[in-house]
Amino acid sequence: MLTSKLCAKSDFETEWFQRWRPIMAHYAGNNIRLGGAFLHRKEWELVFICQALDERGLLERGKKGIGFAVGREPLPAIFASRGCDILATDNSSDSNGAWSDQWASGKSDLSQPEICDPSVLESHVEFRQIDMNHIPMLVNEFDFSWSCCALEHLGSLQSGFSFLFSQLQCLKPGGVAVHTMEFNLSSNWRTIETGQTVLYRRKDVERFVKFVDSQGHVVEAVDFTEGRDPADRFIARQPWDDLKKNVAHLRLKIGGFVCTSLALIIRKGL
């Protein structure tokens, strides 16, 4: 089974990754059509979440899931097509407007007819505006939760980790959370700690894991291994959709730091 880990090119070559790629090909994310030859970390994040939940038996009829900052991603449609009941949430009140072109303002923004029949989406998906910094009391309601590179945009390192911990109250005992975040590959000391986008260091993650474990929950072992393929070392440049400049989009620079995606799998205590 998958464990918490960094994005790596080798994952794209696995059988489990290839099984999800045709589904992702229906979704245009970050102005790049996913599912083709181009290696994009957003696709890795989406596929990782799907696979981690699926192999834990959570993408089955009758299971309940909650997604945070879902934007226009395909996951609510994918999970609904499996028979799950989904509460998809987003927050379009961000004052700086940085993500206005990616927000979901209602259920219509989640429509992916090539993935999920509209009637199935209508019956299996609810939409609600929720601020990740102020999660309402939805205690023990859901079998799983997820977010895709959203928690690093909550204002600070601590705000992101506060969200990760507080969203566990939404899960039933034994429920599973899968969340991705920006990870700093350049330094375990210097980083961006506050602002529109923060970058988590290894020591930040290890401190969070220790805290969560002390509270009776489990963060599945984190593999910090960096890939060795040339695609794992290539630093993507803007514009991201210029394939003449970018042979892959698994690494990029933010504020002078090289970053990639890290996925955490957390199981709520019984």
Side-chain angles (χ1 to χ4, degrees):
M1 294 177 70
L2 287 178
T3 188
S4 306
K5 70 184 301 294
L6 293 176
C7 173
K9 191 259 187 181
S10 58
D11 290 332
F12 287 77
E13 301 167 350
T14 62
E15 182 275 335
W16 58 265
F17 202 100
Q18 292 301 318
R19 279 191 289 107
W20 289 104
R21 295 205 90 184
I23 300 174
M24 298 304 167
H26 294 297
Y27 168 70
N30 286 12
N31 298 317
I32 294 178
R33 174 89 31 199
L34 304 182
F38 188 68
L39 306 176
H40 199 291
R41 71 192 187 115
K42 178 58 66 175
E43 182 176 19
W44 179 87
E45 293 165 12
L46 297 169
V47 169
F48 184 97
I49 292 170
C50 289
Q51 178 65 16
L53 294 173
D54 191 33
E55 63 189 17
R56 287 161 178 78
L58 292 167
L59 299 187
E60 298 177 353
R61 183 168 302 279
K63 297 294 186 181
K64 295 181 63 178
I66 179 170
F68 295 94
V70 297
R72 299 166 187 262
E73 69 188 30
L75 299 189
I78 292 172
F79 299 158
S81 73
R82 292 290 196 95
C84 300
D85 295 309
I86 300 299
L87 175 58
T89 77
D90 207 351
N91 179 26
S92 61
S93 62
D94 183 43
S95 60
N96 63 31
W99 317 109
S100 58
D101 62 338
Q102 300 180 38
W103 286 326
S105 59
K107 192 186 296 188
S108 62
D109 290 328
L110 306 177
S111 178
Q112 302 279 342
E114 298 89 350
I115 296 174
C116 182
D117 185 280
S119 64
V120 174
L121 187 82
E122 179 64 30
S123 61
H124 284 278
V125 177
E126 294 183 24
F127 180 85
R128 190 181 304 180
Q129 293 282 347
I130 287 182
D131 183 345
M132 292 169 65
N133 281 318
H134 304 284
I135 301 175
M137 292 298 287
L138 302 167
V139 180
N140 297 345
E141 288 193 23
F142 299 95
D143 298 290
F144 64 91
S145 65
W146 83 90
S147 70
C148 194
C149 262
L151 63 92
E152 66 267 21
H153 303 307
L154 298 182
S156 69
L157 294 174
Q158 185 54 51
S159 294
F161 280 149
S162 293
F163 158 74
L164 270 186
F165 186 72
S166 63
Q167 60 87 41
L168 289 173
Q169 56 93 11
C170 300
L171 298 178
K172 300 174 182 177
V176 174
V178 186
H179 297 267
T180 65
M181 66 184 72
E182 294 283 5
F183 185 81
N184 186 343
L185 291 169
S186 293
S187 175
N188 199 27
W189 303 104
R190 296 176 57 248
T191 195
I192 302 174
E193 299 189 19
T194 60
Q196 183 175 303
T197 302
V198 299
L199 309 177
Y200 290 91
R201 298 159 293 195
R202 177 168 180 162
K203 68 176 184 178
D204 300 319
V205 175
E206 290 175 336
R207 183 166 60 247
F208 176 73
V209 169
K210 185 176 180 179
F211 170 73
V212 170
D213 288 350
S214 74
Q215 300 301 304
H217 313 294
V218 176
V219 178
E220 300 198 11
V222 186
D223 183 357
F224 291 104
T225 303
E226 299 180 33
R228 297 185 177 182
D229 190 273
D232 292 311
R233 302 185 182 279
F234 180 83
I235 311 302
R237 297 173 290 167
Q238 290 184 313
W240 311 124
D241 59 344
D242 186 342
L243 301 187
K244 293 182 180 179
K245 289 185 177 180
N246 297 313
V247 299
H249 191 296
L250 306 184
R251 309 287 187 264
L252 74 160
K253 276 191 175 182
I254 299 177
F257 298 99
V258 178
C259 308
T260 192
S261 301
L262 170 71
L264 290 184
I265 304 172
I266 310 170
R267 187 175 293 276
K268 183 175 179 177
L270 298 176

